[in-house]
Amino acid sequence: MTNQNDTTGSSENGDIPCPAQPARPAFHEGPDEHQVTLRTPAELADALPYLLGYRPEDSIVLAALREREGRGRFGGRARLGIPPDADDWVGAAAQLVHGLVTGGERRGARPEQIVAYLCQEPARGETGRDVMERLRPLAQRLRVECGALDIPVVEALCISAGRFWSYCCDESACCPSDGLPMGLPGTSVLAAAATYAGIQVRGSLSDLHARLLPREGAVAVEQSAALDAAATTLVSRILDDAGRADVAAETLAAAERAMRRLAGAPPVSGVPAEDLRDDQLLAHDEAATLILGLQDRTTRDRAAAWMEGDEAGPALRLWRALARRCVGAYGEHAAAPLTLAGWVAWSTGDELEAREALAMALGADRDYLFARLLHQACNEGLDPESIRSCLRAERAGRGSADADAPDGVRQSAASVAPEHAAPAAVPQSGSRRRKRPHGTPGGVRRRTREQDAGPAAKIGRPRTPVGTDRPGATRSGRTRARTTGPHTAGGQGPRLKGTHGGDCGTEGGGERA
């Protein structure tokens, strides 16, 4: 299982009105935003896919809340896979809470309250209620970690088997022990507001990962043989300074031909059909040549320039297709195409795919510095424009006559600001790293490892103040969701009115360690 911290950088994703505001449904439309009032645990449970942009599976999710201009608003979110061993829950809770809080502090938006979600489907022989009870110690640990930082957990929900339970309310009138059914997807006011704003829920993480995971079966056997054959001729050329320039030019030219082919392919309906079409347009030997050629850092940096305009779409499809071809013993080679896929996704405003692709790149090779820097920058909501500007300048400086010369963007990780050099929560993979087959370009990657930062070394701080839209965003509107209701007796945050009129209050703003 791969775990990653998916803290987002924006604090403009939702808002919670101050207690003085009327506790009634509200749906406000404006030129740039839509506001929806959330009052109950049911509405908070329904909001989760829209806060993340996908339906989480087997996950711990934390959503930060903070007050701004008299209203509380959803801020950053963080997700981590639920460790299968309960002994690891203490460390996972600490990692997630501290990652969310420190990420908010770096952006000048420390969380003031938190909503916690535990999402897991029942195992064989379990019920949703069994899952809820089994995960109760994890929910308690999250509350303890937040309480130790003086941040109350105003609601903690378990979502399982189409139902939800509150860990913060024991009133049977509003939160029965058998849980409450989740609403039908797309039927809530928040769903309508999200649709109006152009925000889509993109299925589950497993659906997204399927687009980037290596293929299996007979196709994998054929691709592995093609990679072995290509390695026997390409590796020695890449390791030779004279031959390296030729391989770089050939790799980039082959990639451009493949992108033109993908761009001209007829459209098909459905994501699986799209990926199958792209796979059929890429021959095994062609994919092998591209995968091995991209192991050279300067070649990869040159390919990263296809990040915007008409080039971005075909480039992203090509990088996905190449990641699916890194089969068997070549799994570590997926770090290059996965990082490129994450970079293009981030550059074009798709932070969800960017974070997942970059996390998978680190799962393939945890030492891949370019992926580490991009992963942290994306998680922190930094501006990708600084990298785009660097790549544009480098491309323009080469000129059309020598656009394929292998000089690349030569920036080392040492030039990154200290706060960027530290990796984000790096995915942890339980599997051992596969051994490279004889003759693969591991030497190339070892030789350039310390200078692997590439254009990510140009990452800069956001140029927009905290609380405004992030540069590079593609959405024309936003959906803001807020909860309302009176404060608890301790004054530690809103009370969430239950679905049957009972109060689902919090307990003293979170326990302390």
Side-chain angles (χ1 to χ4, degrees):
M1 179 180 65
T2 299
N3 293 342
Q4 73 271 9
N5 185 325
D6 292 342
T7 307
T8 61
S10 174
S11 58
E12 286 285 325
N13 301 292
D15 62 281
I16 305 169
C18 65
Q21 292 184 322
R24 65 175 186 269
F27 177 45
H28 306 284
E29 297 184 23
D32 294 320
E33 66 183 37
H34 311 281
Q35 298 181 357
V36 179
T37 299
L38 304 179
R39 294 188 184 87
T40 68
E43 290 169 340
L44 283 172
D46 179 75
L48 179 57
Y50 301 98
L51 292 176
L52 296 179
Y54 61 92
R55 302 187 185 280
E57 301 171 314
D58 195 31
S59 298
I60 312 166
V61 180
L62 300 181
L65 310 175
R66 66 187 185 91
E67 186 175 336
R68 181 171 165 228
E69 298 177 355
R71 295 178 177 178
R73 298 181 177 179
F74 281 111
R77 279 85 66 199
R79 188 200 71 85
L80 193 71
I82 298 177
D85 189 343
D87 292 338
D88 296 329
W89 289 356
V90 173
Q95 176 187 358
L96 196 60
V97 171
H98 286 267
L100 179 63
V101 173
T102 56
E105 288 174 340
R106 280 194 292 267
R107 296 188 300 273
R110 189 178 192 270
E112 297 173 359
Q113 301 166 340
I114 285 177
V115 176
Y117 299 85
L118 298 178
C119 307
Q120 190 173 74
E121 290 304 300
R124 178 172 297 182
E126 273 191 322
T127 65
R129 183 176 178 181
D130 294 335
V131 173
M132 183 272 294
E133 293 293 349
R134 177 167 52 79
L135 296 181
R136 185 181 291 276
L138 176 55
Q140 180 69 8
R141 174 49 55 180
L142 290 168
R143 299 175 72 186
V144 168
E145 292 291 341
C146 292
L149 298 175
D150 291 325
I151 302 175
V153 175
V154 295
E155 183 56 272
L157 299 174
C158 177
I159 300 175
S160 181
R163 305 181 75 83
F164 70 90
W165 291 260
S166 170
Y167 291 112
C168 295
C169 176
D170 54 6
E171 294 289 338
S172 59
C174 63
C175 298
S177 60
D178 289 334
L180 291 170
M182 298 285 293
L184 293 175
T187 60
S188 66
V189 174
L190 180 59
T195 301
Y196 186 85
I199 300 172
Q200 297 180 348
V201 176
R202 300 170 55 185
S204 65
L205 281 182
S206 59
D207 297 331
L208 182 58
H209 290 168
R211 308 195 73 181
L212 302 170
L213 289 173
R215 291 295 184 243
E216 298 177 347
V219 173
V221 174
E222 295 172 0
Q223 184 63 63
S224 183
L227 285 163
D228 287 340
T232 59
T233 58
L234 283 180
V235 172
S236 59
R237 295 179 62 199
I238 294 174
L239 293 176
D240 178 72
D241 289 338
R244 185 179 173 208
D246 293 336
V247 172
E250 294 165 7
T251 300
L252 294 168
E256 288 182 328
R257 289 194 299 270
M259 288 167 54
R260 287 194 295 269
R261 194 182 317 134
L262 293 172
V268 295
S269 178
V271 169
E274 291 175 357
D275 292 341
L276 179 60
R277 173 204 58 197
D278 292 347
D279 288 341
Q280 293 173 341
L281 291 172
L282 197 63
H284 292 308
D285 56 347
E286 181 182 23
T289 299
L290 289 170
I291 289 169
L292 295 174
L294 289 172
Q295 303 309 306
D296 177 61
R297 181 186 61 83
T298 55
T299 307
R300 177 211 64 198
D301 290 352
R302 203 70 54 80
W306 300 321
M307 71 216 162
E308 56 191 347
D310 294 337
E311 295 175 330
L316 180 56
R317 289 164 58 188
L318 176 60
W319 308 143
R320 289 190 194 121
L322 293 179
R324 294 192 293 267
R325 300 298 187 93
C326 294
V327 298
Y330 291 86
E332 189 177 276
H333 289 66
L338 285 170
T339 301
L340 289 171
W343 159 238
V344 176
W346 184 33
S347 178
T348 55
D350 189 347
E351 295 185 6
L352 170 59
E353 180 165 0
R355 287 192 298 270
E356 293 306 313
L358 293 169
M360 292 176 69
L362 291 171
D365 183 354
R366 67 178 60 203
D367 297 323
Y368 206 68
L369 184 57
F370 190 24
R372 292 169 76 93
L373 295 174
L374 289 176
H375 189 248
Q376 171 150 348
C378 183
N379 281 344
E380 291 188 357
L382 302 186
D383 186 358
E385 179 58 26
S386 56
I387 306 179
R388 286 195 294 258
S389 298
C390 171
L391 290 169
R392 290 190 202 106
E394 186 72 18
R395 192 174 187 179
R398 290 192 302 267
S400 58
D402 60 343
D404 291 329
D407 49 358
V409 181
R410 299 186 180 276
Q411 296 290 335
S412 70
S415 64
V416 185
E419 64 267 28
H420 297 155
V426 178
Q428 299 171 359
S429 174
S431 59
R432 295 181 179 178
R433 183 174 298 176
R434 297 184 180 94
K435 293 182 179 180
R436 293 190 184 93
H438 178 71
T440 58
V444 178
R445 302 180 61 184
R446 285 192 296 271
R447 185 176 66 178
T448 61
R449 181 87 70 187
E450 294 181 355
Q451 296 180 328
D452 192 46
K458 292 284 189 177
I459 294 171
R461 280 293 183 188
R463 299 178 183 177
T464 54
V466 173
T468 61
D469 287 340
R470 287 192 302 279
T474 58
R475 295 175 182 167
S476 59
R478 302 187 303 278
T479 296
R480 292 183 178 177
R482 64 178 188 246
T483 62
T484 186
H487 269 181
T488 61
Q492 293 296 329
R495 293 171 70 89
L496 305 170
K497 287 192 175 293
T499 55
H500 299 289
D503 283 345
C504 293
T506 59
E507 300 176 1
E511 294 86 353
R512 295 177 180 271

Coordinates of all heavy atoms in Angstrom, one line a residue, residues 54-92:
Y54 N -12.4 13.2 -5.5 CA -12.6 11.8 -5.8 C -13.2 11.1 -4.6 O -13.3 11.8 -3.5 CB -11.2 11.2 -6.2 CG -10.2 11.3 -5.1 CD1 -10.0 10.3 -4.1 CD2 -9.4 12.4 -5.0 CE1 -9.1 10.4 -3.1 CE2 -8.4 12.5 -4.0 CZ -8.3 11.5 -3.1 OH -7.3 11.6 -2.1
R55 N -13.5 9.9 -4.7 CA -14.1 9.2 -3.6 C -13.0 8.3 -2.9 O -12.5 7.4 -3.5 CB -15.2 8.2 -4.1 CG -16.3 9.0 -4.7 CD -17.5 8.2 -5.1 NE -18.5 8.9 -5.8 CZ -19.4 9.8 -5.3 NH1 -19.4 9.9 -4.0 NH2 -20.2 10.5 -6.0
P56 N -12.6 8.7 -1.7 CA -11.4 8.0 -1.1 C -11.8 6.6 -0.7 O -12.9 6.3 -0.3 CB -11.1 8.9 0.1 CG -12.4 9.5 0.4 CD -13.1 9.8 -0.9
E57 N -10.8 5.7 -0.8 CA -11.0 4.3 -0.4 C -9.9 4.0 0.7 O -8.7 4.4 0.5 CB -10.8 3.4 -1.6 CG -11.8 3.6 -2.7 CD -11.4 2.8 -3.9 OE1 -10.3 2.8 -4.3 OE2 -12.4 2.2 -4.5
D58 N -10.2 3.3 1.7 CA -9.2 2.8 2.7 C -8.4 4.0 3.1 O -7.1 3.9 3.1 CB -8.4 1.7 2.1 CG -7.6 0.9 3.1 OD1 -8.1 0.8 4.2 OD2 -6.5 0.4 2.8
S59 N -9.0 5.0 3.6 CA -8.2 6.3 3.8 C -8.6 7.0 5.1 O -9.8 6.9 5.5 CB -8.5 7.3 2.6 OG -8.1 6.8 1.4
I60 N -7.6 7.7 5.6 CA -7.9 8.7 6.6 C -7.8 10.0 5.9 O -6.9 10.3 5.2 CB -6.8 8.7 7.7 CG1 -6.5 7.3 8.2 CG2 -7.1 9.6 8.9 CD1 -5.2 7.2 9.0
V61 N -8.8 10.9 6.2 CA -8.9 12.2 5.5 C -9.1 13.2 6.6 O -10.0 13.1 7.5 CB -10.0 12.3 4.5 CG1 -10.0 13.7 3.8 CG2 -9.8 11.2 3.4
L62 N -8.3 14.3 6.6 CA -8.5 15.4 7.5 C -8.8 16.6 6.7 O -8.1 16.9 5.7 CB -7.3 15.6 8.4 CG -6.8 14.5 9.3 CD1 -5.6 14.9 10.1 CD2 -7.9 14.1 10.2
A63 N -9.8 17.4 7.1 CA -10.1 18.7 6.4 C -9.9 19.8 7.5 O -10.6 19.7 8.5 CB -11.5 18.6 5.9
A64 N -9.1 20.8 7.2 CA -8.8 21.9 8.1 C -9.9 22.9 7.9 O -10.5 23.2 6.8 CB -7.5 22.5 7.8
L65 N -10.3 23.5 9.1 CA -11.2 24.6 9.1 C -10.6 25.8 9.7 O -9.8 25.7 10.7 CB -12.5 24.2 9.9 CG -13.2 22.9 9.6 CD1 -14.3 22.7 10.6 CD2 -13.7 22.9 8.2
R66 N -10.9 27.0 9.3 CA -10.3 28.2 9.9 C -11.3 29.3 9.6 O -12.0 29.3 8.7 CB -8.9 28.6 9.3 CG -8.9 29.0 7.9 CD -7.5 29.1 7.4 NE -7.4 29.6 6.0 CZ -7.4 30.9 5.7 NH1 -7.4 31.8 6.6 NH2 -7.3 31.3 4.4
E67 N -11.2 30.3 10.5 CA -12.1 31.5 10.4 C -11.5 32.6 9.6 O -10.3 32.8 9.7 CB -12.4 32.0 11.8 CG -13.5 33.1 11.8 CD -13.9 33.6 13.2 OE1 -13.8 32.8 14.1 OE2 -14.3 34.7 13.3
R68 N -12.3 33.2 8.7 CA -11.8 34.2 7.9 C -12.9 35.2 7.6 O -14.0 34.8 7.1 CB -11.2 33.7 6.6 CG -10.6 34.8 5.7 CD -9.8 34.2 4.6 NE -9.6 35.2 3.5 CZ -9.8 35.0 2.3 NH1 -10.3 33.8 1.9 NH2 -9.6 35.9 1.4
E69 N -12.7 36.5 7.9 CA -13.7 37.5 7.6 C -15.0 37.1 8.3 O -16.1 37.2 7.7 CB -13.9 37.7 6.1 CG -12.7 38.2 5.4 CD -12.9 38.3 3.9 OE1 -13.9 37.9 3.5 OE2 -12.0 38.8 3.3
G70 N -15.0 36.6 9.5 CA -16.1 36.3 10.3 C -16.8 34.9 9.9 O -17.8 34.6 10.5
R71 N -16.2 34.2 9.1 CA -16.7 32.9 8.7 C -15.6 31.8 8.8 O -14.4 32.1 8.5 CB -17.2 32.9 7.2 CG -18.4 33.8 7.0 CD -18.9 33.8 5.6 NE -20.1 34.6 5.4 CZ -20.6 34.7 4.2 NH1 -20.1 34.2 3.1 NH2 -21.7 35.5 4.0
G72 N -16.0 30.6 9.1 CA -15.1 29.5 9.1 C -15.1 28.9 7.7 O -16.1 28.8 7.1
R73 N -14.0 28.4 7.2 CA -13.9 27.9 5.9 C -13.0 26.6 5.9 O -12.1 26.5 6.6 CB -13.3 28.9 4.9 CG -14.1 30.2 4.8 CD -13.6 31.2 3.9 NE -14.4 32.3 3.7 CZ -14.2 33.4 3.0 NH1 -13.0 33.5 2.3 NH2 -15.0 34.4 2.9
F74 N -13.4 25.8 5.0 CA -12.5 24.6 4.7 C -11.2 25.1 4.2 O -11.2 25.9 3.3 CB -13.2 23.6 3.8 CG -14.2 22.7 4.4 CD1 -15.5 22.9 4.1 CD2 -13.9 21.8 5.3 CE1 -16.5 22.1 4.7 CE2 -14.8 21.0 5.9 CZ -16.1 21.1 5.6
G75 N -10.1 24.6 4.7 CA -8.8 24.9 4.2 C -8.1 23.7 3.5 O -8.7 23.0 2.7
G76 N -6.9 23.4 3.9 CA -6.2 22.3 3.3 C -6.8 20.9 3.7 O -7.5 20.8 4.7
R77 N -6.6 19.9 2.9 CA -7.0 18.6 3.2 C -5.8 17.7 3.1 O -4.8 17.9 2.4 CB -8.0 18.0 2.2 CG -9.4 18.5 2.4 CD -9.7 19.9 1.9 NE -9.6 19.8 0.4 CZ -9.5 20.9 -0.3 NH1 -9.3 22.1 0.3 NH2 -9.5 20.8 -1.6
A78 N -5.8 16.6 3.9 CA -4.7 15.6 3.9 C -5.3 14.2 3.9 O -6.3 14.0 4.6 CB -3.8 15.8 5.2
R79 N -4.7 13.3 3.2 CA -5.2 11.9 3.1 C -4.0 11.0 3.3 O -2.9 11.3 2.8 CB -5.8 11.6 1.7 CG -6.5 10.3 1.7 CD -6.7 9.8 0.2 NE -5.4 9.4 -0.4 CZ -4.8 8.2 -0.2 NH1 -5.4 7.3 0.5 NH2 -3.6 8.0 -0.8
L80 N -4.3 9.9 4.0 CA -3.3 8.9 4.2 C -4.0 7.5 4.2 O -5.1 7.4 4.7 CB -2.5 9.1 5.5 CG -1.3 8.2 5.8 CD1 -0.1 8.8 4.9 CD2 -0.9 8.3 7.2
G81 N -3.4 6.5 3.5 CA -4.0 5.2 3.6 C -4.0 4.7 5.0 O -3.1 4.9 5.8
I82 N -5.1 3.9 5.4 CA -5.2 3.4 6.7 C -4.2 2.2 6.8 O -4.3 1.2 6.1 CB -6.6 2.9 7.0 CG1 -7.6 4.1 7.0 CG2 -6.7 2.2 8.4 CD1 -9.0 3.7 7.2
P83 N -3.2 2.3 7.7 CA -2.3 1.1 7.8 C -3.0 -0.1 8.2 O -3.9 -0.1 9.1 CB -1.3 1.6 9.0 CG -1.5 3.1 9.0 CD -2.9 3.4 8.6
P84 N -2.7 -1.3 7.6 CA -3.4 -2.5 8.0 C -3.1 -3.0 9.4 O -3.9 -3.7 10.0 CB -2.9 -3.5 6.9 CG -1.6 -2.9 6.4 CD -1.8 -1.5 6.5
D85 N -2.0 -2.6 9.9 CA -1.5 -3.0 11.3 C -1.9 -1.9 12.2 O -1.4 -0.8 12.1 CB 0.0 -3.3 11.3 CG 0.4 -3.9 12.6 OD1 -0.3 -3.9 13.6 OD2 1.5 -4.5 12.6
A86 N -2.7 -2.2 13.2 CA -3.2 -1.2 14.2 C -2.0 -0.6 15.0 O -2.1 0.5 15.5 CB -4.2 -1.8 15.1
D87 N -0.9 -1.4 15.1 CA 0.3 -0.8 15.8 C 0.8 0.4 15.1 O 1.6 1.2 15.7 CB 1.4 -1.9 15.9 CG 0.9 -3.0 16.8 OD1 0.0 -2.8 17.7 OD2 1.5 -4.1 16.7
D88 N 0.5 0.6 13.8 CA 1.1 1.7 13.0 C 0.1 2.9 13.1 O 0.4 3.9 12.5 CB 1.3 1.3 11.6 CG 2.3 0.2 11.4 OD1 3.3 0.2 12.3 OD2 2.2 -0.6 10.5
W89 N -1.0 2.8 13.8 CA -2.0 3.9 13.7 C -1.5 5.1 14.5 O -1.8 6.3 14.0 CB -3.3 3.4 14.3 CG -4.0 2.5 13.4 CD1 -3.7 2.0 12.2 CD2 -5.3 1.8 13.8 NE1 -4.6 1.1 11.7 CE2 -5.6 1.0 12.6 CE3 -6.1 1.8 14.8 CZ2 -6.7 0.2 12.6 CZ3 -7.2 1.0 14.8 CH2 -7.5 0.2 13.7
V90 N -0.7 4.9 15.5 CA -0.2 6.1 16.3 C 0.7 6.9 15.4 O 0.5 8.2 15.3 CB 0.5 5.6 17.5 CG1 1.2 6.8 18.2 CG2 -0.5 5.0 18.5
G91 N 1.6 6.3 14.7 CA 2.5 7.0 13.8 C 1.8 7.6 12.6 O 2.1 8.8 12.2
A92 N 0.8 6.9 12.1 CA 0.1 7.4 10.9 C -0.7 8.7 11.3 O -0.7 9.7 10.6 CB -0.8 6.4 10.4

